[in-house]
């Protein structure tokens, strides 16, 4: 029987507790960090194409803004819950601090099945949600971005709705926009590219030659497919990949770009020529050097962590490994490059996009990619140094850096009144 899904916010609080212990955090600051500063739950009536009215539930959770405006994506998924959005908003807070971005953390989500909705239904739902949260967002307040099953088009609708309400165009209200509306070159591939840079650095530290190294990707979406393409360019070979419909395996290697084209054509990675079918569970147990969970939370649980054969886990997704699984992986000597570091390339280029919008700048893709590389490689080595100094895992090291910086900002600001 399948185990009950762990509560992601309980897991985020468990991680916070571990960081707080190592940092000897002031108990008052720890209390502040256990709660989001603001939770919005909105009801979103949408006229469906067949004339019916459906009502969706949407959230925006603003976790902490001590270091700058709130920042974080919006997710459209049937499994969205308030506790999931709370967890994701806490992780955004630590992530922006790890990457040293002048942002706090937030996250949004709508409980819906976007694959079963038409583009016009998605547009009406997005615009009504934006209207409901419009007072709470803005380039100096809270800047949304894409997440699971949202994309540049969804950001364009948010931008247009917000700007119509204001009476003038406000490109800096969202990131991950289409290029024609002030989006940044390189944003689309940024999460995967950042994770590939982290993998390169981790491989150096672990003395694992990337040339000829094998990897498996769970979740062949934006982050997973870009990660695969870029890591392949660094000489590694993808032996397995999966999505919500199933997985494929090929010992000789799966061509990352061809696999993406196959998925775009057929809707799934399954049925890719000259590959064997594997289940999602089998994919996680693939014999390979690097395992990249790139889908949702709770993928690697305590129960299955012992079956992970990879030497390294690079978390392209948010929260894929539970705290229980962390213990098992750690004691088995598996190096985990944690989410708040590994997938921070997305929000790093979101930051670069926001800066370009505010300063009316226009950088080339080479400029963007090299700024991303400098920022994320710096973050990687900052986390690695913290982990080495405190004798802890990369996860705990990253949490210590992220939580430590937010805690310092809170203390320095003080409490008013
Ligand atoms: N949704 C992405 C994340 O989880 C990107 C957030 C952003 O760019 O603001 O990091």
């Amino acid at each position: 029987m399948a185990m009950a899904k762990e509560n992601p916010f309980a897991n985020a609080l468990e991680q916070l507790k571990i960081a707080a212990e190592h940092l000897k955090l002031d108990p008052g600051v720890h209390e502040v960090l256990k709660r989001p500063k603001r939770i919005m739950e909105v009801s979103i009536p949408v006229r469906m194409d067949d004339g019916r009215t459906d009502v969706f539930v949407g959230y925006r959770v603003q976790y902490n803004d001590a270091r700058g405006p709130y920042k974080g994506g919006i997710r459209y998924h049937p499994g969205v819950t308030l506790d999931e959005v709370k967890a994701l908003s806490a992780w955004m807070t630590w992530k922006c601090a790890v990457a040293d971005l002048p942002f706090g953390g937030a996250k949004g989500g709508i409980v819906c099945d976007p694959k079963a909705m038409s583009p016009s239904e998605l547009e009406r739902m997005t615009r009504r949600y934006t209207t409901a949260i419009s007072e709470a967002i803005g380039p100096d307040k809270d800047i949304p971005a894409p997440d699971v099953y949202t994309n540049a088009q969804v950001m364009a609708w948010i931008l247009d709705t917000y700007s119509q309400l204001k009476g003038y165009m406000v490109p800096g209200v969202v990131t991950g926009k289409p290029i024609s509306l002030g989006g940044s070159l390189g944003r689309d591939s940024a999460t995967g590219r950042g994770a590939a840079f982290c993998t390169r650095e981790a491989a150096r530290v672990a003395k694992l030659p990337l040339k000829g190294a094998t990897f498996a990707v769970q979740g062949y979406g934006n982050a997973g497919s870009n990660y695969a393409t870029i890591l392949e360019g660094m000489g590694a070979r993808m032996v397995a990949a999966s999505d919500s419909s199933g997985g494929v395996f090929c010992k000789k290697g799966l061509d990352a770009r061809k696999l993406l084209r196959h998925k775009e054509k057929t809707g799934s990675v399954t049925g890719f020529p000259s590959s064997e079918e594997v289940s999602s569970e089998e994919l996680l147990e693939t014999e390979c050097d690097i395992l990249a969970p790139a889908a949702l939370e709770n993928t690697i649980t305590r129960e299955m962590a012992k079956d992970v054969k990879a030497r390294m886990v690079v978390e392209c997704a948010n929260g894929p490994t539970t705290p229980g699984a962390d213990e098992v992986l750690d004691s088995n000597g598996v190096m985990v490059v944690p989410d708040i570091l590994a997938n921070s390339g997305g929000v790093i280029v979101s930051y670069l996009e926001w800066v370009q919008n505010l300063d009316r700048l226009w950088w080339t893709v080479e400029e963007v990619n090299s700024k991303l590389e400098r920022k994320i490689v710096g973050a990687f080595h900052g986390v690695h140094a913290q982990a080495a100094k405190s004798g802890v895992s990369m996860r705990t090291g990253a949490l210590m850096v992220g939580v430590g910086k937010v805690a310092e900002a809170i203390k320095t600001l003080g409490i008013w009144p």
Side-chain angles (χ1 to χ4, degrees), residues 71-73 92 95 107 143-147 175 187 318 343 346-347 350:
K71 184 84 191 83
M92 279 311 302
K95 189 189 304 186
K107 202 78 172 203
I143 306 116
D147 195 76
T175 57
R187 175 61 185 86
N318 290 309
N343 71 39
V347 72
S350 275

